[in-house]
Amino acid sequence: MQLLSNIDSKLYMFADQDDLWLPDKIQLSVEAYNLEYSKNPKKGIIVHTDISLVDSNLNVISNSRWNDIHLNPDNFKSYNCISICNYVQGSTMLFDNNIKLMSFPLQDYAIMHDWWIATRCLKNQGKIITIHQPTMLYRQHSSNVFGMKSNSNLTISAKFKRSWDSIIENIKFYKILQKDNYGSFFKFLWYKSYILMNRFVQS
């Protein structure tokens, strides 16, 4: 975000150092942006895409992250949903200067740069455009700090501990959302359940 604050352009994209962009990533994103801009030239616009997961040697683990987690982004395009379940991954984003201006000043409770930018977009009536196609290979290393976690190999006691930790983390998460004027804890639980149920139905 500090780098973003020190440059000026019409369009911006973030690039993670260890991921591989597919050849049509920029073209697909710019074309989707231009189409939306022709209809809504005064609104801030974010374009984002699906990803394919690969290992350190670029062997494909999953062709579509969204299919794996049974998530259709088109079902959750509201501030209430995306605050809880941010599927707009920073390394797939293309956004314009209107979105950049919405994203500053950055607050100290911002969870991640992509979460912050996506929620600012929706809080300011911007548009999020989804491309249902992977445009990059997202590397998963054994030492990833941020990445896609799995419960499949955990013991029962470890799963219980993770569930308890999840409850504590959700309470902490809601306290962050309170700083963003999200609303009541009941509202948080309702949208959390809505997202989980929609993903369960798709599975």
Side-chain angles (χ1 to χ4, degrees):
M1 293 299 287
Q2 185 174 355
L3 289 172
L4 182 61
S5 70
N6 281 280
I7 57 174
D8 188 29
S9 180
K10 179 182 178 181
L11 300 174
Y12 305 87
M13 300 178 86
F14 293 121
D16 288 356
Q17 75 277 11
D18 60 345
D19 299 327
L20 182 68
W21 287 15
L22 297 178
D24 56 356
K25 181 180 191 293
I26 297 175
Q27 180 180 348
L28 286 173
S29 298
V30 171
E31 287 176 351
Y33 173 84
N34 287 338
L35 179 61
E36 184 60 34
Y37 181 81
S38 68
K39 296 182 285 187
N40 293 291
K42 295 184 179 180
K43 287 184 178 289
I45 299 168
I46 294 174
V47 176
H48 73 114
T49 78
D50 198 356
I51 62 171
S52 293
L53 300 181
V54 296
D55 65 17
S56 299
N57 298 313
L58 298 180
N59 297 306
V60 175
I61 300 170
S62 166
N63 288 314
S64 168
R65 178 58 182 166
W66 293 341
N67 287 345
D68 277 359
I69 62 174
H70 311 293
L71 186 146
N72 181 354
D74 293 332
N75 293 336
F76 307 117
K77 287 193 174 176
S78 71
Y79 168 78
N80 292 323
C81 288
I82 210 167
S83 292
I84 297 171
C85 178
N86 178 38
Y87 50 79
V88 182
Q89 188 167 325
S91 53
T92 75
M93 296 168 71
L94 175 143
F95 57 95
D96 60 19
N97 207 51
N98 288 330
I99 296 294
K100 174 192 168 180
L101 294 175
M102 294 173 189
S103 301
F104 291 99
L106 178 68
Q107 299 299 317
D108 59 4
Y109 62 84
I111 299 167
M112 287 286 287
H113 65 292
D114 46 13
W115 177 89
W116 179 255
I117 291 171
T119 53
R120 294 319 93 185
C121 171
L122 294 176
K123 272 205 158 196
N124 290 278
Q125 290 75 52
K127 298 282 290 186
I128 294 180
I129 307 302
T130 300
I131 298 175
H132 291 263
Q133 176 181 332
T135 61
M136 58 173 282
L137 306 181
Y138 181 79
R139 288 188 204 253
Q140 288 289 276
H141 303 285
S142 58
S143 59
N144 270 52
V145 175
F146 298 103
M148 311 304 175
K149 309 297 184 183
S150 171
N151 282 327
S152 58
N153 297 320
L154 297 179
T155 64
I156 292 175
S157 60
K159 287 181 180 179
F160 179 80
K161 182 180 184 304
R162 179 168 283 190
S163 296
W164 177 252
D165 289 344
S166 179
I167 293 171
I168 301 302
E169 288 302 314
N170 271 284
I171 293 172
K172 292 179 180 178
F173 184 33
Y174 172 67
K175 289 180 179 179
I176 292 172
L177 294 184
Q178 277 185 305
K179 295 179 181 179
D180 208 41
N181 300 313
Y182 185 84
S184 69
F185 190 63
F186 175 79
K187 175 183 175 181
F188 170 74
L189 290 177
W190 193 95
Y191 277 101
K192 187 89 175 179
S193 300
Y194 169 78
I195 292 165
L196 291 173
M197 284 301 298
N198 270 271
R199 288 174 61 181
F200 175 76
V201 169
Q202 290 184 61
S203 67

